[in-house]
Amino acid sequence: MLNWIGAATRGHTGAAFLGVLTFALTVAPVGCTLEWPLIPGDGRTTVGLFLNTDTAGEPLAAGRVVNGDAFFVYGSRTSAGGIGEVDAILIRTAAGQAEIHFEFGRPVRLLAADGSSVRITYAEAEPLRLTASADVFDAVSGSTETFALQIDLTRTAAEVAAAIERQTGISIPLPDVSSGVAKLLDRSQGAALAVLLLVPIIVLNSVLVTVLGQVLNSMWTVVSTAFRAVLLVAFSPFILFTALLGQVVTNLAQRPLLEIFIELPSRPAQSQARSAPAVRQRRPIAAHLPCTR
């Protein structure tokens, strides 16, 4: 599978993207068992899934893995301060910045690090099915292909993930949080974080896998081998997010995100054009208190 990806993407996205995608397809599905609470230190090596306690600022939450790759979640808060409706996810890896955008809880746009994208338009919604169309833009050739889609809402995320692996060879990890949640519930804030942070993120991930997985599978069966390389790039924000999430869901905490990250990216714009990202700078911190159990 990885040999085929290397051949298919060579000359299309460069070595940086291929390295990150290879990581997502090989390392992330294995998963990581992370200890809780957080690693003491200056925040630059902190690994986990964090709810932002700076309620006046964004993002709502963020996840960070060992090598520094991260994702940031934007949207509205619930009355209790947890994650409400998500508008966008921004992903930062060695390959650059990628984005996932939502409207009314549905994924509507993927923007890859090289500028390739997928834009989904939902034409009709039924209780058990979505009718939609999707435009796939290839940043290398400048061309766009349009696909008509039917999305079966009765399928589970596990079924769709299994179908993706059978058809494409790509493993989409679904976080197994059963043991991690049990561990967290023994902690002073574990029950609250499970409700405010973990459950909304897991539900969001299930929606992404169910919808985008079927979109990818539908396209995969009708395109050429060459265009499948384009699909891998265009859907890379989805693939990378699921890979990163699988590594952080058993390490939850809430704190100001500027204690974790040196800078925070602003909410990604909905427009197709990408501008230079604005950032919020980390405030100077005199000292970090060590984490306590």
Side-chain angles (χ1 to χ4, degrees):
M1 171 61 187
L2 291 177
N3 291 336
W4 178 84
I5 292 174
T9 59
R10 192 169 297 118
H12 184 88
T13 59
F17 171 79
L18 181 58
V20 173
L21 186 58
T22 301
F23 168 83
L25 297 178
T26 57
V27 177
V30 175
C32 299
T33 301
L34 302 174
E35 293 300 321
W36 195 91
L38 295 175
I39 304 169
D42 68 355
R44 300 186 186 187
T45 58
T46 304
V47 174
L49 180 60
F50 308 101
L51 181 65
N52 191 4
T53 56
D54 179 7
T55 57
E58 289 190 315
L60 304 176
R64 184 186 180 117
V65 301
V66 173
N67 70 349
D69 291 348
F71 63 84
F72 303 87
V73 181
Y74 301 82
S76 61
R77 297 179 186 273
T78 65
S79 59
I83 295 177
E85 185 170 311
V86 173
D87 299 328
I89 299 171
L90 186 149
I91 303 149
R92 282 187 167 179
T93 70
Q97 179 170 298
E99 301 169 9
I100 305 173
H101 293 264
F102 301 82
E103 290 180 2
F104 307 111
R106 302 170 185 163
V108 294
R109 187 164 72 101
L110 305 177
L111 183 59
D114 76 336
S116 297
S117 65
V118 181
R119 185 179 292 273
I120 303 173
T121 302
Y122 299 93
E124 184 178 348
E126 300 177 7
L128 303 179
R129 185 174 299 274
L130 294 174
T131 300
S133 63
D135 297 325
V136 179
F137 171 70
D138 177 11
V140 173
S141 67
S143 62
T144 300
E145 297 286 341
T146 301
F147 301 83
L149 305 165
Q150 293 286 327
I151 300 166
D152 184 357
L153 299 179
T154 66
R155 301 187 69 186
T156 67
E159 291 172 343
V160 175
I164 293 173
E165 185 163 14
R166 285 195 304 271
Q167 191 155 279
T168 70
I170 298 171
S171 176
I172 301 295
L174 295 175
D176 179 8
V177 298
S178 54
S179 60
V181 169
K183 179 170 59 177
L184 289 169
L185 290 179
D186 292 335
R187 311 294 185 176
S188 60
Q189 296 179 336
L193 283 175
V195 173
L196 300 177
L197 176 60
L198 183 61
V199 171
I201 287 291
I202 294 299
V203 170
L204 180 71
N205 187 65
S206 294
V207 171
L208 281 175
V209 173
T210 301
V211 174
L212 294 181
Q214 291 187 68
V215 172
L216 174 59
N217 272 344
S218 296
M219 295 175 179
W220 197 270
T221 59
V222 298
V223 300
S224 65
T225 300
F227 197 79
R228 287 176 177 176
V230 177
L231 293 182
L232 282 177
V233 177
F235 279 84
S236 62
F238 161 57
I239 298 170
L240 291 171
F241 172 71
T242 59
L244 295 175
L245 179 63
Q247 299 178 72
V248 300
V249 291
T250 58
N251 192 42
L252 306 184
Q254 53 182 341
R255 62 169 55 183
L257 290 182
L258 282 171
E259 293 185 6
I260 306 297
F261 300 93
I262 295 175
E263 63 180 33
L264 295 176
S266 297
R267 177 191 293 253
Q270 282 284 358
S271 61
Q272 182 68 31
R274 187 197 298 278
S275 57
V279 298
R280 293 176 60 205
Q281 295 294 326
R282 180 180 179 180
R283 296 183 295 271
I285 300 173
H288 266 268
L289 296 177
C291 297
T292 57
R293 293 185 181 272

